[in-house]
């Protein structure tokens, strides 16, 4: 009977093209608007490190102004000072640990027509690639020595390698960064976690960096953060060394702790470190540190902001309005067909059969509306991309999960819209229509 | 075939209760052709709706083909309606956007016949009513008489044992009415039990038996030869 109901539905839709088009449009607009917003919210609230969520931790230390807590959700600074990061790096408890920040270099290639360009760069310790499971196409990361001493080696992103070396294996080749020669030791595959969970407070939806260089190059290149640097204390020390030893926070710190024992040991280590610093006159606030899994880090940093959530609810409310409109239109359409339903009842159709027939017609309208809704959502996302001028390119696309969600939402919307009219027509007394038709 | 005992049917609004049938009792034997007459509002259509399982009675007992249908649920009533009862209406009640073939196909779909069986039955009944060549026509492309013949074909396709006709010639001119009546008589001769509501005394007289309903009750039952004067226009 399912095939029969489908053929009846298509015949009915063809028989009332304008009314059907209005219903399809109502559902399409509702689904389109809802999916545009929900897609953005979905992409914003993803955890790209979900696979390692249980063992990765973002580290926070509360060495902030004793008179005023840091303005964050857990009242601790998002980033660490350089000297604290260097101190934590001396721990051998974590399986992997990284200190890092965003910076930038001017890239040149000798004997090339390529014009120099500025590249987003991440200065990081070598565990970055292992800790975040960054895949390599060629080569690998630099030696451990490079994290402490100035070794001019670089890992390229796939896109940068394509740009500089046409995608060929560039390991061992040289490029110039800020006029200094760097040897390529590795090329990573396309890797762009969204949101950029490892550095949420410097643009959570920015692309990942184009270059990765060792953390030991700070003094050699006097690197500053190309992101947020915050401070609370006026230091007397001058120059770059003064900056490195200051209370300015600009380093992101992550650790991988695979076992509960490691976590416990690391907590003890952080507690001990803070106590030691307190004895030296630092960390005047109550002893406090943070170890947050990536999923917790996303929530703390409000990667998905409250206004996006509100927008999500508003878009669902709009869909509800569209569904209510579709209910009214379906009711008008089905009640106009009540005499036919009466005839079918007389000829042996049960109430359930009449209900199912009309519900399937609603679902057909809903699926068609949903497909148009997906197109509208794609157009909507393109518009958002255009308005955001590239800022959220990584967010404004529908993955298969969201396409399936859109179809599901459309079917759900149409079933919600169709259920009442279908129920009404299945409950009407056929004899009324049989006598008067 | 049909046995009603003390059937009651009332309709209730906020302020008024209307008794459409009161202690209505009737038996129709298998193979009978019974005409039902009575003034407007007497309860003829209510009787037909209850007999056809389109409505439930408020009280009393109704046996259809020996089965008590009073307490059946909608699904079982629908199945019985589909298998045992054929309907013919004054307004034909063909589905306007389905061609003749598809109109006759409707009850057979609900019966669950396969495509081959349905086609065989549809072609057979269209042949019987003389419209085999017009299977792909829409109802609007036929005359009133032809439409009623299609409705009869649709009612017969499932080979019901019981045919309910509500003013089957009410919308037809006399020539067409006569043809339809002859068709019904022919069907009855094959053994199908027919109950026909009519205002036409001439048609009522052609049935085996006439029942007159007044104020929701059977007021008179007589054989057809003496029915002419009882039927009311």
């Amino acid at each position: 009977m399912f095939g029969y109901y489908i053929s009846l539905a298509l015949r009915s839709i063809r028989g009332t093209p304008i009314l059907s088009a209005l219903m399809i449009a109502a559902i399409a607009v509702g689904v389109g608007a809802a999916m545009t917003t929900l897609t953005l919210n979905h992409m914003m609230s993803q955890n790209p490190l979900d696979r390692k969520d249980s063992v990765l931790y973002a580290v926070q230390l509360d060495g902030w102004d004793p008179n005023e807590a840091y303005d964050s959700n857990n009242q601790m600074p998002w980033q660490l000072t350089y000297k604290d990061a260097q101190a934590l790096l001396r721990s051998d408890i974590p399986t992997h640990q990284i200190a890092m920040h965003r910076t930038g270099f001017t890239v040149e290639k000798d004997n090339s027509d390529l014009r120099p360009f500025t590249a987003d760069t991440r200065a990081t310790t070598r565990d970055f690639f292992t800790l975040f499971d960054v895949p390599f196409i060629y080569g690998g990361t630099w030696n451990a020595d490079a994290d402490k001493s100035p070794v001019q080696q670089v890992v390229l992103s796939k896109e940068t390698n394509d740009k500089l070396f046409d995608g060929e294996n560039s390991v061992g080749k040289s490029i110039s960064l800020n006029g200094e020669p760097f040897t390529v030791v590795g090329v990573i595959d396309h890797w762009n976690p969204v949101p950029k969970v490892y550095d949420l407070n410097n643009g959570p939806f920015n692309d990942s960096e184009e270059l990765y260089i060792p953390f030991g190059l700070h003094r050699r290149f006097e690197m500053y953060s190309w992101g947020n640097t915050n401070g609370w204390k006026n230091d007397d020390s001058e120059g770059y060394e003064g900056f490195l030893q200051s209370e300015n926070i600009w380093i992101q710190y992550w650790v991988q702790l695979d076992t509960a024992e490691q976590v416990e040991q690391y907590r003890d280590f952080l507690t001990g470190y803070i106590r030691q610093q307190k004895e030296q006159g630092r960390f005047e606030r109550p002893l406090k540190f943070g170890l947050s899994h990536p999923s917790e880090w996303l929530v703390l940093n409000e990667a998905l902001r409250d206004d996006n959530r509100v927008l999500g609810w508003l878009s669902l409310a709009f869909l509800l309005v569209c569904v209510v409109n579709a209910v009214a239109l379906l009711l008008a359409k089905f009640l106009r067909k009540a005499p036919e339903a009466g005839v079918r009842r007389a000829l042996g159709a049960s109430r359930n059969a009449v209900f199912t027939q009309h519900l399937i017609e609603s679902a057909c309208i809903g699926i068609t509306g949903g497909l148009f809704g997906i197109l509208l959502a794609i157009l909507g996302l393109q518009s958002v991309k255009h308005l955001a001028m590239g800022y959220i390119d990584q967010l404004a696309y529908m993955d298969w999960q969201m396409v399936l969600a859109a179809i599901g939402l459309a079917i759900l919307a149409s079933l919600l819209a169709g259920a009442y009219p279908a129920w009404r027509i299945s409950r009407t007394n056929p004899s009324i229509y049989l006598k008067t038709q | 075939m049909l046995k009603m005992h003390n059937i009651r049917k009332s309709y209730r609004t906020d302020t008024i209760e209307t008794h459409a049938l009161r202690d209505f009792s009737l038996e129709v034997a298998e193979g009978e052709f019974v005409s039902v007459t009575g003034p407007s509002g007497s309860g003829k259509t209510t009787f037909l709706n209850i007999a056809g399982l389109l409505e439930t009675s408020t009280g009393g007992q109704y046996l259809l083909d020996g089965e008590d249908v009073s307490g059946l649920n909608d699904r079982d009533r629908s199945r019985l309606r589909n298998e045992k009862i054929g309907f013919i209406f004054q307004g034909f009640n063909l589905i306007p956007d389905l061609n003749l073939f598809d109109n006759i196909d409707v009850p057979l779909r609900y019966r669950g016949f396969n495509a081959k069986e349905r086609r065989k039955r549809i072609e057979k009944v269209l042949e019987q009513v003389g419209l085999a060549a017009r299977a792909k026509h829409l109802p609007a492309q036929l005359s009133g008489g032809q439409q009623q013949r299609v409705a009869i074909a649709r009612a017969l396709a499932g080979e019901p044992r019981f045919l309910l006709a509500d003013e089957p010639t009410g919308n037809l001119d006399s020539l067409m009415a006569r043809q339809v009546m002859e068709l019904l008589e022919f069907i009855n001769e094959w053994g199908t039990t027919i109950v026909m509501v009519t205002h036409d005394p001439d048609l009522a007289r052609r049935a085996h038996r006439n029942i007159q309903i007044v104020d929701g009750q059977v007021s008179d039952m007589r054989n057809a030869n003496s029915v002419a004067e009882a039927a009311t226009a």
Side-chain angles (χ1 to χ4, degrees), chain A residues 66-116:
Chain A
N67 300 314
E68 189 180 5
Y70 189 81
D71 184 19
S72 70
N73 282 336
N74 61 2
Q75 300 196 317
M76 280 192 282
W78 299 124
Q79 303 181 103
L80 271 54
T81 64
Y82 179 82
K83 59 187 175 187
D84 288 331
Q86 285 293 1
L88 297 194
L89 279 172
R90 284 194 282 275
S91 168
D92 60 358
I93 299 166
T95 310
H96 300 292
Q97 59 188 333
I98 48 174
M100 60 181 179
H101 66 91
R102 181 171 167 248
T103 185
F105 277 84
T106 302
V107 182
E108 290 173 273
K109 188 186 169 199
D110 294 339
N111 307 319
S112 166
D113 296 335
L114 195 69
R115 297 177 65 183

Side-chain angles (χ1 to χ4, degrees), chain A residues 137 156-164 166-167 187-191 209-210 212:
Chain A
I137 306 174
L156 307 181
S157 70
K158 180 179 186 300
E159 293 72 18
T160 310
N161 190 58
D162 289 346
K163 195 172 179 178
L164 293 171
D166 293 329
V187 178
I188 61 169
D189 203 350
H190 178 74
W191 184 74
E209 287 74 15
E210 298 162 275
Y212 300 83

Side-chain angles (χ1 to χ4, degrees), chain A residues 1 4-5 8 11 340 343-353 357 429-431 433-435 437, chain B residues 45 49 54-55 74-75 78 81-82 87 89-91 93-95 97-98 102 106-107 109-110 154 166:
Chain A
M1 287 301 279
Y4 181 55
Y5 291 149
L8 289 177
R11 191 194 300 264
E340 179 186 328
V343 173
R344 289 184 179 277
R345 295 271 287 128
L347 298 177
S350 65
R351 282 175 179 159
N352 282 345
Q357 177 198 329
N429 184 351
S431 57
Y433 300 104
L434 297 173
K435 189 70 183 172
Q437 195 182 41
Chain B
T45 300
N49 287 337
L54 290 171
E55 286 187 53
D74 177 68
R75 188 179 167 188
S78 300
R81 201 161 56 233
N82 180 258
F87 285 95
F89 303 100
Q90 179 179 0
N93 285 348
L94 298 174
I95 297 172
D97 54 352
L98 298 184
D102 289 338
V106 172
R109 289 272 188 177
Y110 295 118
R154 183 177 64 184
D166 189 2

Side-chain angles (χ1 to χ4, degrees), chain A residues 37-51:
Chain A
T37 317
L38 294 179
T39 297
L40 289 172
N41 284 7
H42 166 71
M43 299 306 281
M44 283 178 185
S45 57
Q46 281 191 132
N47 178 6
L49 301 177
D50 191 45
R51 210 159 54 86

Side-chain angles (χ1 to χ4, degrees), chain B residues 103-120:
Chain B
N103 258 289
I104 299 169
D105 191 36
V106 172
L108 305 181
R109 289 272 188 177
Y110 295 118
R111 188 78 162 268
F113 289 134
N114 62 33
K116 189 179 169 190
E117 175 69 18
R118 295 200 311 271
R119 173 169 290 278
K120 193 179 91 181

Side-chain angles (χ1 to χ4, degrees), chain A residues 221-363:
Chain A
F221 285 91
E222 297 198 349
M223 287 187 290
Y224 289 91
S225 170
W226 276 30
N228 293 321
T229 300
N230 304 88
W232 59 275
K233 193 173 184 182
N234 286 321
D235 288 306
D236 297 333
S237 49
E238 291 182 356
Y240 189 71
E241 191 58 35
F243 174 70
L244 291 182
Q245 300 308 322
S246 73
E247 294 295 340
N248 288 324
I249 53 165
W250 54 294
I251 305 291
Q252 297 107 41
Y253 206 91
W254 285 80
V255 292
Q256 179 175 331
L257 304 169
D258 292 326
T259 65
E261 290 75 29
Q262 271 180 304
V263 175
E264 199 55 40
Q265 285 173 19
Y266 200 66
R267 284 181 182 282
D268 292 344
F269 164 74
L270 292 178
T271 306
Y273 175 70
I274 293 172
R275 283 193 179 135
Q276 185 194 48
Q277 294 301 306
K278 279 178 176 290
E279 286 170 11
Q280 294 172 18
R282 296 183 68 222
F283 285 80
E284 295 171 70
R285 297 184 58 75
L287 194 155
K288 192 176 177 188
F289 61 84
L291 286 175
S292 306
H293 291 297
S295 53
E296 297 166 334
W297 195 238
L298 286 162
V299 174
L300 271 178
N301 281 270
E302 294 181 344
L304 179 62
R305 300 178 69 87
D306 282 346
D307 48 357
N308 292 106
R309 280 202 184 86
V310 170
L311 212 56
W313 285 113
L314 279 177
S315 69
L316 286 175
F318 179 67
L319 175 62
L320 187 66
V321 171
C322 293
V323 167
V324 170
N325 273 296
V327 169
L329 291 168
L330 274 170
L331 203 56
K333 178 176 182 173
F334 286 175
L335 290 182
R336 206 178 70 173
K337 282 171 56 187
E340 179 186 328
V343 173
R344 289 184 179 277
R345 295 271 287 128
L347 298 177
S350 65
R351 282 175 179 159
N352 282 345
V354 173
F355 178 77
T356 308
Q357 177 198 329
H358 289 87
L359 203 61
I360 285 175
E361 184 174 335
S362 306

